[in-house]
Amino acid sequence: MTATIVVLTEESLNEVDITNLRYLIQDNPARFEVLVPADTGRNLLVDVLDNLSLLQFAEAFRDLTGGKPTKDQETKAAEVQLSESLALLASSGLEAGGSVTGEDPVQAVVAAAKATNAQQVVVITTPHAVEDTFRTDWANEAQERLGVPVLHLYSGSGFIGGS
């Protein structure tokens, strides 16, 4: 039987992420349902605090002065990230499908997990100091709403988030 794993990511998957997903399934057949939010619902103040806590001063300054992208720009960026992620999964020999989500990424994960009868959810994000500390990150929110395991990985690393 092929297991379904829902993957929520805020950016394109990379080689390390694929290695982590492959390690997760071992030799068991699995299908990945990749979700990329068009609108992450990020808060400007939280983004600045996250960047400052990670000593990313240039990013914090850009957050403050750069302005917010339009809805159309966010959707196009998410479509590119999804396409890149699906192409990388396919080139790695992993079966995958996916979609761009709307304003509530966690609700999209819950709906996808229920619709596909997913055995697990994997949330792949960059570190978010504020959300991770106060357990308000997507993985913790999804864990509260679902009856399946939710794994939180930091993109491009083997580090497990605080969920």
Side-chain angles (χ1 to χ4, degrees):
M1 180 170 136
T2 301
T4 299
I5 299 173
V6 175
V7 177
L8 174 63
T9 182
E10 63 184 355
E11 57 187 31
S12 299
L13 297 176
N14 57 55
E15 292 290 342
V16 175
D17 299 330
I18 300 300
T19 299
N20 290 335
L21 292 173
R22 188 175 292 287
Y23 181 78
L24 180 67
I25 64 170
Q26 301 290 314
D27 292 327
N28 299 313
R31 180 180 192 291
F32 296 95
E33 185 66 25
V34 181
L35 303 177
V36 179
D39 178 5
T40 61
R42 303 281 306 150
N43 178 296
L44 176 63
L45 177 60
V46 171
D47 283 346
V48 170
L49 291 173
D50 281 344
N51 286 327
L52 290 176
S53 70
L54 297 169
L55 303 177
Q56 297 171 337
F57 302 113
E59 288 87 346
F61 181 74
R62 267 193 299 263
D63 284 344
L64 286 173
T65 60
K68 185 170 170 43
T70 67
K71 199 92 149 143
D72 191 43
Q73 290 170 324
E74 287 177 333
T75 300
K76 286 180 183 176
E79 288 169 350
V80 168
Q81 293 165 340
L82 176 63
S83 177
E84 291 172 351
S85 297
L86 294 177
L88 185 57
L89 284 160
S91 71
S92 300
L94 298 171
E95 183 183 345
S99 61
V100 171
T101 73
E103 293 182 19
D104 189 348
V106 176
Q107 183 56 42
V109 165
V110 170
K114 289 179 180 178
T116 62
N117 199 23
Q119 285 73 32
Q120 183 165 15
V121 171
V122 178
V123 177
I124 301 175
T125 67
T126 56
H128 296 293
V130 174
E131 292 95 334
D132 293 348
T133 299
F134 293 106
R135 305 179 78 66
T136 59
D137 57 279
W138 292 341
N140 276 296
E141 287 185 37
Q143 184 69 55
E144 290 175 8
R145 296 188 201 179
L146 288 170
V148 299
V150 178
L151 177 63
H152 184 189
L153 297 173
Y154 291 141
S155 180
S157 77
F159 292 107
I160 297 174
S163 58

